[in-house]
Amino acid sequence: CEGGAAAASDAEPLPLADVTALDAEDVPPHEVLTAGFPCQPFAQCNTGNAVLTGSLSQGLGIQSRGGALAFEVVRLLRSCQPPAFLLEN
């Protein structure tokens, strides 16, 4: 997350990859970070059906792999410190 505003406009797009393997130093400077992570691990409705279908087989909340992705967003926010961010789950 080093550099200035000019560097961000000249930066090549990053290839899509596993965010858990992404080094924050490889993220170009930016004004707004947008991110999303699965909502299923945090859902409080219809958990009986989720258990039957296996969508909660890894557990609820941050105990699941999908829920733990929220921590990856926090990691990038702490490192890059953009002026704004928008999260969606």
Side-chain angles (χ1 to χ4, degrees):
C1 299
E2 300 288 323
S9 63
D10 297 333
E12 292 293 321
L14 289 176
L16 297 177
D18 182 354
V19 69
T20 62
L22 181 64
D23 187 344
E25 294 298 320
D26 293 334
V27 177
H30 53 280
E31 295 291 319
V32 179
L33 176 79
T34 60
F37 47 91
C39 65
Q40 291 87 343
F42 301 100
Q44 295 299 311
C45 62
N46 205 11
T47 54
N49 186 50
V51 170
L52 288 175
T53 62
S55 65
L56 292 179
S57 61
Q58 296 177 4
L60 290 171
I62 59 174
Q63 297 170 345
S64 72
R65 183 171 184 235
L69 290 175
F71 288 122
E72 295 300 321
V73 175
V74 171
R75 176 178 67 84
L76 293 174
L77 285 170
R78 286 183 174 159
S79 179
C80 298
Q81 298 184 351
F85 61 92
L86 174 68
L87 305 180
E88 188 279 327
N89 91 339

